[in-house]
Amino acid sequence: MITLSPKNPNHNLKKYKLVFLGEQSVGKTSMITRFMYDSFDPNYQATIGIDFLSKTIYFHDRTVRLQLWDTAGQERFRSLIPSYIRDSQVAVIVYDITNLNSFELTTRWIEDVRSERGNQVVVVLVGNKVDLESCREVPTEKAEKLAKELDVLFIETSAKCSYNVKQLFKRIAEALPDLDPDRHEDNNWLQEVTLETKPKKNNQKDDNNKDYCFC
Amino acid sequence: MLTDEDTEDGNFIELFKKEHNEQFYVLVKMHLSFLLHMTTEESECFYEKVKLRKWNIVPFGKKSKHKQSLDAALNQNILKQVHQLINFLKLDSNLNSEGIFRRTGSLERQNELKNLLLQGCTINFSNNHFTVHDCASVLKWFLADLPEPITTDIQFPIYCQIAESFKTTEAAHEIKILQSVQLLFLLLPKENKNLLQDIFELLHLVMLKEDTNRMSSENLAKLFTPHLLCPRKLAPEVLLKDSQILFSVVAFMIKKYPKLFKIPAQLMLDFRTHHEQGTVLNDSIKGAAHTVFSFVDNNKTAKENQENVTDAALAELYAHIQSLPETSKKRKLVKQFNKQNGQGTPLQVIRSSAPKNRSFGDSIKKHMFHKKLLKNVKKSGLTQMKSSSSEEVLNETMMTPRSRKPVLLVSGTNINNLAKLSPKLTHLMEEDSFNNPGTSKKLFVKSKSDGDLNEDNKSTPLKLNKTDSPKKLSHSFKNYMNSRDMLTIDNSPTDSSFSSRSDDFQSYTEFNDSFRDNRAVEEMSDSMLYILDGNSPNDVSMENSEGEKKLVLKPRQFDENGKPIVFETSF
């Protein structure tokens, strides 16, 4: 879907850090497991502290290395998280569509991310567990509205059914180049990318073109 | 889940703690230090702090309620409130709810619930206003918000030590973890212990419903480890690291809840023993800890005894004879034993009338040492320093065939352990024998020049080289002798001649480098061992320049021809 001019592709292996945030048992680890191994672990295991995984994804003309930081939703480990947010270019904030409380608390997470990173970050709001449609507590519209208000990306997924998980990472990858930390040293590459991704011009701001919503 | 027996034990413990407070902590602390191999100092400071803490409880009422803080130690009021939560969560319908303690409750309702609890209200859970997840979150919050973990800050390093030393996956370690934790609980203030017990009961109940609520003990442990065990001021990275170490122990504790709050049987036995003695002896044993703790592996000992019937029977026999009254008959029997079991070292009695059926090695030995040196001995004129009392002591000291060491303390109770004494204990016994003035006195002087000795030592390997097994000497021989020298130097400091003697052996071994190999001592020929044990060396003896009591060997009795009858060595 991304069409970039094939200029110097190997040179452009960029590393990006993604931090997954959200309350307990919303499916952060499951989402990462689905993306990394395309599998779903039916065990219901809490994460201790922080997990780290890394995956390289290929686009038509470039390669991106994503480092995924899986955090524990548990209260006691919150103190660990800010330092990981600080290092990340992307924050994925997950909630459980069958648990309204987990959705309500996403605003707190987004605030945390904004306070650490300001606008130098891609924020994605992810409503997980859409396979449990019958238990839904958070309407899609409500989440869309919140995402617009907070100027973040939004998508609904199901890690269990592998629904929209790849899509999520593609969107993240599309949004990434704007945040290239080396863009001033790598102008050619930056320009191409910027030109190609800009056409999706939802929600654009004058001086800040990295936050937009797809919905 | 507690039986009558447990309640009885619990009551006894309470009573004991009340009556013998100091002894209670001494015993618990001691058992704990045995289990965890802690030094007394480590457990001492730990214990002192626990004691202090008991008097430092801040009354809950003093705390500001607006802060929504439970910045207070446990008191009855707040415990009552927490029990409302625990009892509500214990309901079957709640235990079955998926993700209990994991799913997020409503922040708003949680705050409301906290306020109500802090105000001391009785909560009406029946109107379904508060969900199970709200209550579970508030319970976790309560535990997290205590000024220190419910297991107290000072116990935290001990839990870390338990987690590092033992693996929950190994059956042998399980009992140690369990006992350590049981002991730690006994050291907690009563309020903490009771609440902890209720919480573990709840967690165990949740775990039992894993099929429906999907919360395994591991899962619960991950959620509760930081709340229950970890101090509040840990750096985030340390907290993470420690939680990862500790969570398997907490999972184990949740699984083992039915046994978790019992009292270790050994400790209970100590308590009861002390209690019974305490009424009789009272002051005389104050401060001393009496324990049933044993470092002997009874199972292995029993097994060994079954397999080695002979040794066990012999040991019994020794014990029996040792316990006989001090009569000439006993002395005779002891002598006979010592003769039969190979004249164990270091004490020995040698008859001048050597056995007829000598081995090849014996004849070499005779050739080397006996003949030649005996002449020297005779020529130089022996000084006899006979002591009848020392002879008696010697004669009454028996040697075990195995350790070849004197049997010092044999009683009906430790007879089974005799054959399997660990090397360390054997060593201790050895030291005992050296410290015994009766045995250490038995040093006799024999005049003989150092020059002779060196010459003799040097001549030994050369001559042995001609025999079948020359290589069985040298290195192992040196080790063997050195080890014995060490013992001698350690235990009889007046015996300065031994240092020169060890030098002699050094030169001897240097001389012998060409013959050296790495064989172990046990590979030496029997005859060499025989010599090394001091059986032959009527001759291998020495004197120092002052001619004082520094010699090892001395002929004790002479027959009509002036030949020595009995030689003794005392190391």
Side-chain angles (χ1 to χ4, degrees):
Chain A
M1 66 185 283
I2 304 172
T3 52
L4 295 171
S5 56
K7 189 171 182 179
N8 204 4
N10 287 333
H11 180 247
N12 294 328
L13 178 64
K14 295 289 171 192
K15 286 178 189 166
Y16 296 98
K17 288 184 183 167
L18 284 72
V19 62
F20 282 70
L21 305 168
E23 295 302 305
Q24 292 188 74
S25 80
V26 294
K28 299 180 288 296
T29 307
S30 295
M31 201 171 287
I32 289 172
T33 311
R34 172 60 73 190
F35 174 61
M36 294 291 296
Y37 313 111
D38 199 22
S39 67
F40 181 77
D41 180 3
N43 288 328
Y44 187 72
Q45 284 293 328
T47 305
I48 302 184
I50 306 272
D51 264 0
F52 165 72
L53 291 158
S54 175
K55 184 167 180 165
T56 309
I57 53 174
Y58 302 94
F59 289 96
H60 303 293
D61 65 332
R62 68 191 170 114
T63 311
V64 183
R65 189 156 185 84
L66 299 181
Q67 295 182 347
L68 312 181
W69 296 92
D70 184 15
T71 66
Q74 209 182 332
E75 195 79 40
R76 243 347 253 292
F77 294 113
R78 291 275 154 91
S79 52
L80 274 169
I81 292 175
S83 60
Y84 290 91
I85 295 178
R86 223 166 289 148
D87 285 347
S88 302
Q89 285 84 43
V90 182
V92 182
I93 291 151
V94 188
Y95 69 90
D96 175 358
I97 63 150
T98 68
N99 184 348
L100 183 62
N101 302 315
S102 72
F103 174 72
E104 283 169 352
L105 289 164
T106 53
T107 47
R108 277 211 320 204
W109 287 111
I110 294 173
E111 278 167 25
D112 285 355
V113 173
R114 290 290 184 216
S115 69
E116 285 290 341
R117 297 281 298 167
N119 287 326
Q120 300 297 305
V121 63
V122 175
V123 182
V124 194
L125 184 64
V126 180
N128 192 30
K129 306 197 188 179
V130 288
D131 53 292
L132 298 171
E133 190 61 46
S134 57
C135 308
R136 183 189 276 275
E137 284 183 9
V138 186
T140 313
E141 300 74 34
K142 194 174 175 179
E144 276 175 0
K145 192 174 161 239
L146 180 74
K148 264 180 194 162
E149 274 171 29
L150 297 172
D151 196 14
V152 298
L153 301 176
F154 170 70
I155 192 168
E156 280 191 345
T157 62
S158 166
K160 192 175 180 181
C161 303
S162 190
Y163 168 76
N164 258 356
V165 176
K166 278 184 188 165
Q167 193 71 10
L168 163 71
F169 284 92
K170 273 182 189 165
R171 289 198 186 176
I172 290 169
E174 284 168 27
L176 277 174
D178 290 348
L179 293 167
D180 180 7
D182 306 324
R183 74 173 136 185
H184 297 298
E185 298 152 30
D186 200 4
N187 268 328
N188 290 337
W189 183 74
L190 175 83
Q191 274 179 337
E192 288 161 6
V193 168
T194 311
L195 286 171
E196 292 300 318
T197 52
K198 261 187 176 174
K200 303 187 168 132
K201 53 198 175 300
N202 311 348
N203 253 352
Q204 280 209 11
K205 288 180 183 176
D206 301 344
D207 59 345
N208 176 5
N209 53 15
K210 52 201 159 291
D211 298 317
Y212 49 85
C213 179
F214 281 91
C215 307
Chain B
M1 284 197 189
L2 297 177
T3 64
D4 288 348
E5 199 183 320
D6 296 324
T7 329
E8 201 181 293
D9 278 0
N11 290 341
F12 177 78
I13 289 284
E14 285 307 314
L15 188 72
F16 186 87
K17 200 171 168 181
K18 215 169 169 184
E19 286 180 6
H20 313 275
N21 194 284
E22 198 177 325
Q23 191 70 16
F24 175 83
Y25 285 109
V26 167
L27 282 171
V28 175
K29 184 185 66 176
M30 185 184 64
H31 279 251
L32 196 60
S33 63
F34 279 147
L35 276 171
L36 296 172
H37 308 293
M38 285 192 302
T39 65
T40 328
E41 287 75 24
E42 280 174 316
S43 52
E44 190 70 41
C45 82
F46 157 67
Y47 155 70
E48 290 303 330
K49 283 185 193 163
V50 170
K51 255 181 105 183
L52 276 178
R53 187 162 310 273
K54 281 173 70 73
W55 309 111
N56 278 346
I57 293 176
V58 185
F60 176 66
K62 282 186 184 173
K63 293 291 156 180
S64 149
K65 285 172 186 171
H66 332 299
K67 278 188 183 172
Q68 269 204 12
S69 166
L70 276 177
D71 197 22
L74 305 166
N75 73 1
Q76 290 307 315
N77 289 338
I78 197 67
L79 283 177
K80 207 177 112 201
Q81 297 299 80
V82 173
H83 273 105
Q84 287 192 53
L85 289 175
I86 293 178
N87 290 333
F88 173 67
L89 291 170
K90 267 190 206 167
L91 297 175
D92 258 3
S93 56
N94 293 333
L95 290 178
N96 281 323
S97 61
E98 183 179 314
I100 179 174
F101 290 117
R102 204 177 160 203
R103 270 178 80 111
T104 317
S106 155
L107 210 56
E108 218 172 284
R109 288 197 302 272
Q110 283 176 41
N111 286 336
E112 193 187 335
L113 183 57
K114 281 178 206 169
N115 277 327
L116 288 172
L117 287 171
L118 288 169
Q119 285 158 23
C121 300
T122 307
I123 312 293
N124 177 15
F125 292 105
S126 56
N127 63 9
N128 284 332
H129 180 54
F130 298 113
T131 68
V132 53
H133 300 297
D134 298 336
C135 295
S137 300
V138 172
L139 180 62
K140 281 197 292 180
W141 163 82
F142 167 77
L143 293 172
D145 211 46
L146 286 169
E148 65 172 345
I150 190 167
T151 53
T152 69
D153 282 340
I154 25 166
Q155 290 196 356
F156 176 69
I158 303 186
Y159 280 102
C160 290
Q161 195 178 338
I162 293 172
E164 280 162 12
S165 331
F166 305 122
K167 289 196 180 88
T168 50
T169 46
E170 281 181 34
H173 286 178
E174 277 192 13
I175 186 73
K176 290 195 169 186
I177 301 176
L178 191 62
Q179 284 180 353
S180 311
V181 173
Q182 285 169 341
L183 292 168
L184 284 172
F185 288 163
L186 286 176
L187 294 172
L188 285 175
K190 198 179 156 195
E191 295 79 17
N192 295 40
K193 188 190 160 208
N194 291 343
L195 180 59
L196 199 60
Q197 184 161 5
D198 293 332
I199 286 166
F200 271 111
E201 186 191 1
L202 175 64
L203 295 181
H204 186 73
L205 291 174
V206 171
M207 181 204 86
L208 293 177
K209 307 271 184 184
E210 191 191 335
D211 289 345
T212 46
N213 63 28
R214 308 186 70 188
M215 297 301 287
S216 63
S217 57
E218 282 80 16
N219 227 342
L220 288 166
K222 281 175 190 169
L223 304 180
F224 276 86
T225 302
H227 299 320
L228 290 176
L229 297 183
C230 296
R232 303 309 181 214
K233 306 252 159 148
L234 285 183
E237 294 73 21
V238 181
L239 173 72
L240 173 60
K241 195 182 113 265
D242 288 340
S243 301
Q244 281 166 335
I245 297 170
L246 285 169
F247 104 90
S248 61
V249 172
V250 176
F252 174 82
M253 285 158 79
I254 295 171
K255 263 182 265 178
K256 298 283 171 183
Y257 165 73
K259 289 181 183 171
L260 202 57
F261 287 85
K262 297 199 174 177
I263 293 131
Q266 282 175 316
L267 182 69
M268 205 59 204
L269 194 54
D270 274 356
F271 280 159
R272 289 201 192 279
T273 311
H274 181 87
H275 187 66
E276 281 154 24
Q277 287 178 345
T279 50
V280 184
L281 300 169
N282 214 358
D283 287 344
S284 64
I285 54 163
K286 201 174 179 183
H290 292 245
T291 182
V292 293
F293 241 99
S294 166
F295 290 100
V296 178
D297 188 329
N298 291 323
N299 291 336
K300 280 185 185 163
T301 309
K303 195 182 159 205
E304 184 69 20
N305 283 345
Q306 274 186 341
E307 286 167 4
N308 278 318
V309 186
T310 315
D311 284 346
L314 273 174
E316 263 176 62
L317 195 52
Y318 288 145
H320 177 69
I321 290 176
Q322 190 78 333
S323 64
L324 286 175
E326 301 293 323
T327 60
S328 60
K329 192 187 173 195
K330 180 183 173 183
R331 274 199 290 278
K332 201 175 161 189
L333 283 168
V334 171
K335 264 185 201 170
Q336 211 166 351
F337 264 118
N338 289 344
K339 190 180 166 190
Q340 289 303 320
N341 70 22
Q343 316 282 13
T345 58
L347 292 172
Q348 57 211 296
V349 178
I350 303 164
R351 298 280 158 198
S352 63
S353 52
K356 301 282 185 221
N357 49 344
R358 279 188 174 169
S359 67
F360 186 46
D362 283 336
S363 57
I364 296 169
K365 169 215 72 188
K366 188 190 168 196
H367 187 71
M368 288 186 329
F369 298 112
H370 196 73
K371 226 179 193 174
K372 182 183 165 194
L373 289 181
L374 202 57
K375 280 177 195 164
N376 292 342
V377 167
K378 278 201 268 178
K379 277 177 195 165
S380 54
L382 295 159
T383 318
Q384 191 177 355
M385 294 175 62
K386 187 176 175 180
S387 148
S388 61
S389 66
S390 68
E391 187 184 21
E392 263 176 33
V393 174
L394 175 80
N395 285 345
E396 283 164 17
T397 312
M398 291 187 296
M399 272 67 77
T400 62
R402 222 160 222 264
S403 64
R404 301 169 77 86
K405 299 288 191 297
V407 180
L408 292 177
L409 299 163
V410 184
S411 71
T413 51
N414 66 7
I415 181 70
N416 287 341
N417 308 335
L418 186 67
K420 292 308 290 176
L421 280 171
S422 71
K424 196 179 175 186
L425 287 181
T426 316
H427 183 69
L428 285 174
M429 279 180 61
E430 228 171 87
E431 283 180 355
D432 280 345
S433 78
F434 289 121
N435 295 332
N436 181 337
T439 49
S440 61
K441 259 188 237 158
K442 288 195 299 298
L443 293 169
F444 300 98
V445 179
K446 189 187 79 166
S447 47
K448 188 187 165 299
S449 77
D450 282 335
D452 279 351
L453 179 76
N454 284 343
E455 192 188 313
D456 293 334
N457 279 334
K458 285 173 183 174
S459 70
T460 308
L462 289 178
K463 292 188 177 175
L464 275 170
N465 203 13
K466 295 169 191 164
T467 70
D468 294 343
S469 52
K471 287 182 181 174
K472 293 191 173 179
L473 280 174
S474 65
H475 190 54
S476 48
F477 178 79
K478 178 194 159 198
N479 287 343
Y480 183 80
M481 295 311 274
N482 280 346
S483 70
R484 301 178 82 193
D485 281 351
M486 287 307 291
L487 284 174
T488 313
I489 290 161
D490 284 349
N491 294 289
S492 22
T494 54
D495 228 351
S496 62
S497 69
F498 280 107
S499 54
S500 73
R501 190 181 161 200
S502 99
D503 284 343
D504 291 338
F505 284 117
Q506 209 121 34
S507 61
Y508 148 73
T509 37
E510 278 161 24
F511 182 82
N512 258 317
D513 268 350
S514 53
F515 308 122
R516 182 176 295 173
D517 73 4
N518 289 328
R519 292 191 193 208
V521 172
E522 52 262 33
E523 283 182 86
M524 286 197 259
S525 71
D526 286 347
S527 59
M528 270 321 287
L529 273 172
Y530 191 68
I531 296 168
L532 293 174
D533 286 346
N535 286 349
S536 85
N538 318 344
D539 355 44
V540 184
S541 57
M542 62 192 82
E543 66 160 354
N544 71 344
S545 50
E546 291 93 28
E548 286 173 10
K549 281 193 187 180
K550 292 187 178 175
L551 286 190
V552 190
L553 297 168
K554 172 199 172 278
R556 302 194 56 201
Q557 289 175 355
F558 300 88
D559 59 19
E560 308 81 28
N561 304 325
K563 277 183 124 186
I565 297 169
V566 177
F567 279 44
E568 292 182 7
T569 327
S570 175
F571 285 94

